[in-house]
């Protein structure tokens, strides 16, 4: 398997750990697809791995470069896709705007500058 040179040199490794006994593979795969389709042109995600957990019941965790960004047990629920997109973006590309998936009222530094410039005219 030959990796693209940009992927081999990049961080952006996402792991979605899911409980096999709970049959949460489809949920994990759907979130993987959401992340890949959202960030496919940005080159910030080098891989998304689905990690089946046969030992820990109820496990559903998402890690970004080894850092837990979502734990079903800690949060008490499953994430919405936009929450995961925001958390991945906040770690890997904080300047990126997610459009309709972004947190209300959030501005990138470029948007703030554009608005300030518009107010100067």
């Amino acid at each position: 398997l030959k990796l693209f040179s940009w992927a081999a040199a990049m961080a952006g490794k996402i792991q979605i750990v899911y409980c096999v006994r709970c049959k949460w593979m489809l949920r994990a795969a759907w979130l993987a697809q959401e992340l890949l389709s959202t960030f496919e042109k940005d080159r910030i995600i080098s891989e998304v791995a689905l990690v089946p957990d046969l030992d820990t019941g109820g496990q559903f965790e998402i890690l970004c470069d080894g850092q837990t960004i979502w734990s079903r047990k800690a949060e008490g629920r499953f994430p919405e896709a936009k929450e995961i997109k925001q958390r991945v973006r906040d770690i890997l590309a904080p300047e990126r705007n997610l459009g309709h998936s972004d947190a209300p009222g959030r501005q990138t530094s470029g948007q703030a500058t554009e608005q300030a410039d518009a107010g100067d005219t």
Side-chain angles (χ1 to χ4, degrees), residues 81-97:
K82 76 177 196 171
E83 292 174 297
I84 298 305
K85 292 175 186 181
Q86 289 167 356
R87 291 181 186 194
V88 166
R89 181 272 319 275
D90 290 348
I91 293 170
L92 300 177
E95 72 287 349
R96 187 183 189 286
N97 185 326

Side-chain angles (χ1 to χ4, degrees), residues 15-19 23-35 48-52 60-62 78:
Q15 292 179 303
I16 303 175
V17 183
Y18 66 92
C19 176
K23 303 195 182 299
W24 289 340
M25 181 181 64
L26 286 178
R27 183 182 303 267
W30 172 73
L31 280 170
Q33 173 268 313
E34 285 290 315
L35 289 170
V48 176
L50 300 182
V51 183
F60 196 89
E61 288 190 353
I62 302 173
F78 287 102

Side-chain angles (χ1 to χ4, degrees), residues 3 8 10 18-19 21 29-30 39-40 48 57 59 64 68 70-72 80 84 86 90 92 96 107-109 112:
L3 290 177
M10 289 188 60
Y18 66 92
C19 176
R21 290 183 283 167
W30 172 73
F39 296 107
E40 67 187 347
V48 176
Q59 176 86 338
C64 179
T68 300
W70 191 273
S71 168
R72 189 193 68 82
E80 293 183 33
I84 298 305
Q86 289 167 356
D90 290 348
L92 300 177
R96 187 183 189 286
Q107 293 183 341
T108 63
S109 58

